[in-house]
């Protein structure tokens, strides 16, 4: 087992990894930017190294600075968390060439799944269902129009190097397609340094259902069931639950086994997630694979009791999975996560960095809160706006919803604006409660509010 791990990340996920290391008995090194000197991960780690200025390009994405920190502190391994360098194959290769274990899959698997178009092709060859669309990057508008004619509108333009919902454009007609093609290419170039985009059929009423995979270097591979991430805003997850309320056991098994097959296709090792879109006719399609820990991994931990971060560390150290057989993976109850973002839902979700004056976290049975913020902490403007993950666990979905409602009511976080009021609205919505939702749910909810916010509703304030 490793004796010291460097955590190449910040925020709640850095804390999550440090906690797992402490429980296993591994020393930790935090790295931080000048804007994060007061961040909790810096205080909780055994050692901390400042790696640069506030912008991520100069700190959390600064490979030479991170590798130098790892060498100075003499660590055996690096955990990249999610975001930043977590899916950077080049970084994984550099770690390995410096004899530092990268806690994640091999660089080949990262590369194979990192390019969405290449991943689609790999999956298609393996017989895994993919959404109708192009096999190569779209060259020009004539080609785009030809493809749209073939697969029929609506279509979606996506960046091959995409992530975080950026570079995607939904098009319902030729005019929109031609104008969106150029902006999508420009956005992709700016965000990912790669202007390649492709086109696929846009499913109008899908659910986003993903499967957590664990694979070790001894040939064991299992799925830890599913998470339903259908509640999204602008293609970004906002509220997730596990297991999906709409899958029966037959379907769960079928999708889980397909996910395992997908992971095996790229000789996958460590924790990963296969994302699917499930259509209204019960057909499901491979969307992408995330070759890292996910934000919403805690939900799977709540329903299975398996600590995914510890498994990641043990797998990287060459150990076997703690549970090797699929039929021995436990599942119990229902878990929900609300992403608490420092954004103003009443003002087009504009990021709201600033000082948190009051912070009272909810507590009591069934609650797990993963956050790096506290009273007196200043949310810096440089990074992702997610400041807390509020997770709950109940014996069933109804109980989990009640616990979440109670938890959100208890939660005090002032004066920074957050997504808490929006989550309260989602949880009381009858369609959500009946699990009759698709990825357009939030958009519809916001539209309804704009037209007719209920008298006295929090949303009167939200849409103002
Ligand atoms: P990213 O990597 O940027 O997060 P994904 O490919 O994972 O992008 O897609 C994110 C979300 O965008 C999906 O969960 C879904 O809501 C929406 N989406 C992507 N592709 C399609 C599609 N072909 N049809 C309908 N919705 C889609």
């Amino acid at each position: 087992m490793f004796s010291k791990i460097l955590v190449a990340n910040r925020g709640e996920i850095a804390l999550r990894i440090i906690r797992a290391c402490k429980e296993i008995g591994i020393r930790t090194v935090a790295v931080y930017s000048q804007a994060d000197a007061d961040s909790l991960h810096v205080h909780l780690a055994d050692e901390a190294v400042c790696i640069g200025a506030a912008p991520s390009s100069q700190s959390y994405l600064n490979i030479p600075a991170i590798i130098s920190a790892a060498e100075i502190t003499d660590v055996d391994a690096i955990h990249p968390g999610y975001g930043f360098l977590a899916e950077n194959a080049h970084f994984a290769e550099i770690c390995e060439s410096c004899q530092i274990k990268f806690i994640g899959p091999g660089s080949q698997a990262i590369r194979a799944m990192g390019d969405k178009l290449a991943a689609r092709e790999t999956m298609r060859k393996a017989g895994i269902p993919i959404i109708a669309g192009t096999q190569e990057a779209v060259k020009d508008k004539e080609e785009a129009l030809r493809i749209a004619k073939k697969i029929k509108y609506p279509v979606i333009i996506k960046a091959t190097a995409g992530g975080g919902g950026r570079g995607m454009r939904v098009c319902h007609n030729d005019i929109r397609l031609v104008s969106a093609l150029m902006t999508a290419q420009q956005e992709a170039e700016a965000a990912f340094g790669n202007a390649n985009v492709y086109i696929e059929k846009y499913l109008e009423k899908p659910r986003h259902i993903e499967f957590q995979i664990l694979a070790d270097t001894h040939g064991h591979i299992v799925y830890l069931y599913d998470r339903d991430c259908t509640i999204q805003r602008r293609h970004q997850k906002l509220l997730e639950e596990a297991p999906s309320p709409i899958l029966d056991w037959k379907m769960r098994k079928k999708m889980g086994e397909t996910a395992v097959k997908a992971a095996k296709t790229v000789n996958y090792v460590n924790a990963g997630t296969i994302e699917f879109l499930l259509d209204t006719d019960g057909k499901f399609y491979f969307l992408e694979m995330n070759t890292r820990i996910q934000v919403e991994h805690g939900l799977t931990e709540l329903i299975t009791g398996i600590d995914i971060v510890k498994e990641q560390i043990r797998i990287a150290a060459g150990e076997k999975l703690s549970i090797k057989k699929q039929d021995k993976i436990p599942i119990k109850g229902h878990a929900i996560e609300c992403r608490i973002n420092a954004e103003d839902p009443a003002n087009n979700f504009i990021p709201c960095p600033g000082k948190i004056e009051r912070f009272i976290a909810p507590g009591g049975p069934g609650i797990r809160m993963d956050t790096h913020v506290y009273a007196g902490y200043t949310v810096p403007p440089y990074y992702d706006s997610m400041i807390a993950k509020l997770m709950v666990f109940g014996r069933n979905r109804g109980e989990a919803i009640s616990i979440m409602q109670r938890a959100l009511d208890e939660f005090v976080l002032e004066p920074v604006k957050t997504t808490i009021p929006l989550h309260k609205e989602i949880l009381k919505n009858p369609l959500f409660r009946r699990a009759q939702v698709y990825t357009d749910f939030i958009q519809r909810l916001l539209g309804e509010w704009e037209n007719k916010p209920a008298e006295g509703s929090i949303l009167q304030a939200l849409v103002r």
Side-chain angles (χ1 to χ4, degrees):
M1 183 43 76
F2 307 119
S3 53
K4 208 198 259 188
I5 290 177
L6 181 142
V7 182
N9 216 301
R10 65 179 299 281
E12 69 80 25
I13 194 63
L15 286 184
R16 171 72 189 87
I17 299 161
I18 292 168
R19 286 174 174 145
C21 290
K22 279 184 191 277
E23 288 172 25
I24 305 179
I26 301 172
R27 289 178 61 78
T28 51
V29 177
V31 290
Y32 63 98
S33 73
Q34 283 163 3
D36 272 342
D38 290 331
S39 199
L40 269 189
H41 74 286
V42 178
H43 297 283
L44 229 67
D46 296 301
E47 295 167 55
V49 181
C50 181
I51 48 166
S56 334
S57 59
Q58 293 172 46
S59 48
Y60 300 104
L61 292 172
N62 182 344
I63 296 179
I66 293 173
I67 296 291
S68 304
E71 299 209 309
I72 294 164
T73 52
D74 199 20
V75 300
D76 327 283
I78 293 186
H79 196 308
Y82 53 70
F84 297 124
L85 297 169
E87 287 173 293
N88 185 317
H90 173 63
F91 179 61
E93 275 161 4
I94 291 181
C95 290
E96 298 298 333
S97 70
C98 297
Q99 319 301 288
I100 301 166
K101 186 77 192 160
F102 176 82
I103 302 178
S107 55
Q108 267 179 329
I110 301 179
R111 203 161 266 134
M113 290 301 192
D115 182 294
K116 286 179 184 238
L117 205 48
R120 264 169 68 82
E121 193 50 18
T122 308
M123 292 302 125
R124 192 186 63 78
K125 283 194 189 139
I128 289 167
I130 56 167
I131 302 167
T134 41
Q135 271 165 265
E136 281 170 28
V138 181
K139 283 186 227 64
D140 49 36
K141 62 176 195 281
E142 286 74 26
E143 192 187 349
L145 289 167
R146 236 183 356 260
I147 296 155
K149 195 166 177 197
K150 191 167 155 216
I151 62 175
K152 296 194 174 62
Y153 288 108
V155 300
I156 181 166
I157 306 175
K158 295 168 97 169
T160 60
R166 282 173 301 175
M168 290 201 277
R169 291 281 184 292
V170 181
C171 308
H172 288 84
N173 54 50
D174 287 357
I175 296 171
R176 164 86 178 145
L177 181 67
V178 170
S179 68
L181 183 66
M182 227 167 65
T183 46
Q185 284 169 328
Q186 284 164 354
E187 196 174 316
E189 174 68 48
F192 314 110
N194 175 352
N196 282 351
V197 297
Y198 67 103
I199 295 178
E200 66 184 29
K201 176 85 185 159
Y202 184 69
L203 307 180
E204 291 196 86
K205 292 233 167 277
R207 290 190 76 115
H208 175 120
I209 297 178
E210 59 186 34
F211 279 74
Q212 176 69 54
I213 297 290
L214 279 184
D216 65 20
T217 49
H218 303 269
H220 304 110
I221 177 161
V222 291
Y223 61 90
L224 306 188
Y225 310 107
D226 48 295
R227 296 182 288 255
D228 195 317
C229 311
T230 301
I231 305 293
Q232 307 178 349
R233 181 181 170 270
R234 298 213 172 138
H235 309 306
Q236 298 228 48
K237 298 162 190 168
L238 197 61
L239 178 151
E240 303 102 330
E241 51 188 314
S244 169
I246 61 145
L247 289 189
D248 59 23
W249 276 96
K250 198 169 151 215
M251 192 67 175
R252 175 163 292 122
K253 187 163 184 280
K254 192 171 163 193
M255 292 175 78
E257 285 170 0
T258 307
V260 164
K261 186 173 162 193
K264 278 186 176 166
T265 307
V266 289
N267 296 321
Y268 200 81
V269 170
N270 215 287
T273 297
I274 309 282
E275 298 187 335
F276 295 111
L277 285 186
L278 176 67
D279 213 346
T280 38
D281 57 8
K283 291 206 182 81
F284 63 91
Y285 304 91
F286 171 83
L287 185 63
E288 66 165 344
M289 180 170 194
N290 290 132
T291 54
R292 53 167 166 83
I293 190 88
Q294 300 267 110
V295 171
E296 60 274 21
H297 74 277
L299 294 179
T300 304
E301 297 182 327
L302 288 171
I303 61 164
T304 63
I306 297 173
D307 186 314
I308 299 174
V309 178
K310 284 189 197 162
E311 292 287 328
Q312 284 194 294
I313 296 170
R314 292 195 177 112
I315 293 168
E319 293 183 11
K320 293 180 180 159
L321 295 185
S322 62
I323 302 178
K324 299 163 208 64
K325 288 217 163 77
Q326 186 61 51
D327 58 6
K328 295 280 183 294
I329 305 288
I331 179 166
K332 198 171 84 178
H334 196 91
I336 302 179
E337 170 177 274
C338 288
R339 295 193 188 194
I340 312 301
N341 299 339
E343 293 169 358
D344 183 2
N347 199 358
N348 204 23
F349 294 81
I350 184 174
C352 291
K355 188 166 179 187
I356 297 171
E357 305 282 358
R358 287 185 76 220
F359 181 85
I360 303 172
I367 294 192
R368 170 173 165 182
M369 171 86 107
D370 283 19
T371 181
H372 58 290
V373 312
Y374 51 87
Y377 175 80
T378 300
V379 181
Y382 308 100
Y383 314 109
D384 191 88
S385 60
M386 192 180 74
I387 51 169
K389 301 190 312 200
L390 176 56
M391 289 169 263
V392 300
F393 177 77
R395 283 170 302 177
N396 50 51
R397 186 170 189 261
E399 189 175 68
I401 290 176
S402 312
I403 298 173
M404 184 59 93
Q405 286 183 306
R406 191 263 299 165
L408 288 168
D409 284 342
E410 270 180 39
F411 204 164
V412 179
L413 202 163
E414 289 169 358
V416 169
K417 295 257 192 310
T418 73
T419 42
I420 292 174
L422 177 61
H423 283 301
K424 288 183 180 169
E425 289 299 317
I426 297 169
L427 285 156
K428 69 181 193 213
N429 183 279
L431 289 175
F432 172 77
R433 296 179 81 97
R434 291 201 299 270
Q436 289 171 341
V437 293
Y438 305 100
T439 51
D440 63 354
F441 173 76
I442 296 283
Q443 198 187 336
R444 285 176 177 274
L445 198 63
L446 289 168
E448 272 169 32
W449 297 339
E450 268 157 24
N451 294 333
K452 194 168 51 72
E455 197 61 34
S457 152
I458 304 172
L459 294 178
Q460 273 195 320
L462 274 187
V463 297
R464 220 172 276 141

